[in-house]
Amino acid sequence: MDIAVAGAGYVGLVTAACLAEKGHRVACADVDIEKVMLLQRGMSPIYEPGLEELVRKNRERLWFTTDYAAAYRRADVIIIAVGTPEERDGSVNLRYVWEAAKQIARTVEKDCVVAVKSTVPVGTGDELARWIAEHRKHPVHIEVVANPEFLSQGTAVNDTLYASRIVLGVESSHAEKVMREVYDPFALPYVVTDRKSAEMIKYASNVFLALKISYINDIANLCEIVGADIGAVAEGMGMDPRIGPRFLRAGIGYGGSCFPKDTKALCHLASRCGYELKTVRAAIDVNEKQKLKLIEKARTYIGDFHGREAAVLGLTFKPGTDDIREAPALANIAVLLEEGANVKVWDPVGMDNVKRIFAENLTYCATIEEAIANADLCFIFTEWPEIRQFDLCQYAALMKTPLVFDGRNCYDLESARKAGILYESIGRKQVGAAESAVLVETDER
């Protein structure tokens, strides 16, 4: 099929590359000239494992352009995969979705299906269908379908090629038939429903995962108080098939472009309808407080951060991506800088993005060893393999005082004890707490 994709961001680019991999001819349109030129040279503008290789492999069937008219004019299916940023009140800004709709209405010259893959409020597909029907330039039949995505950054290519399901929100058998032609080569199960239900499936799925994360973090905080171990608790819970083990890793909260935005958007939608989603509101509150959990722990040992040498390991919101949107590291770095700490940071792929926010206020290190050298304390915010595999004895050998605050539970407690470091994690016992009192007392003298 001839398919056009509006938007070359995470969702649009991965979708376009995977559709080309399955044999479709795909045109991906974006307004960013530099991004398009980079893609035309076979280079990915984002860090996503396997994506650049897929783009290069399918160059004969995949092309990139800023000329949306050329991309949309004769397409069988046009996929809208543009950004839907968050407004201050938690609502969704749909300006890019509507801009794509206007471009489609002006340029399409044959019957086609418009599939909305962007995450949009329930009812948006119905509004788009009415508007496009009223404003199309040519006498063609254009149907709108809700086709939400469920990919995760860091595993986006695999999540698309081997998805758990394809959700189609359609209002006619014709639209369903066309969309099945798009996805049949993937050989995946379908959920076929109406547009509004498909849009709700996306929100309900993402928000449920956010709820699960906030719940296990809440339980982890209680574990610390009562002396239980969150690792054992999560393992015991996860073995129950009704619960499952995924998204039960305690830590310092979720980040990224989806969970923070989607939880707020669903609460905003419910509020507009006169309904309060109390569980979702609680998940948001828990997550916001959880982000600064390590700062709170560190204060009990060193008081304030003025003049302290602080190492920060991991800047992205999760491993496998260079995305720092809503990353817990950012909020913590801001506190450290505000209170006068000297901050050294390390991340394998995220430092260039962080430089755009903090510029030269941070010291950017090429290695973990460089970041922790002579540090008074160390914070871990992302569970990169390089961090998980790092020799714990190096903390004791290189740091001025081996105070390690781990927001992702990267290390075994006994290994931390043997390494001779003070080690604080989430929902687990302290390691080396008695020795820390000596360190702080000496520092104060």
Side-chain angles (χ1 to χ4, degrees), residues 421-437:
I421 63 175
L422 176 131
Y423 180 64
E424 283 264 16
S425 51
I426 304 296
R428 303 189 295 177
K429 293 180 180 179
Q430 303 165 330
V431 172
E435 293 87 341
S436 71

Side-chain angles (χ1 to χ4, degrees), residues 134-171:
E134 293 172 4
H135 293 85
R136 65 189 189 280
K137 182 177 180 181
H138 301 283
V140 294
H141 182 65
I142 304 173
E143 293 207 46
V144 174
V145 170
N147 177 217
E149 50 78 23
F150 301 95
L151 57 84
S152 296
Q153 286 157 267
T155 58
V157 171
N158 188 76
D159 293 344
T160 303
L161 292 174
Y162 308 103
S164 57
R165 75 285 202 198
I166 301 296
V167 175
L168 302 177
V170 300
E171 301 298 328

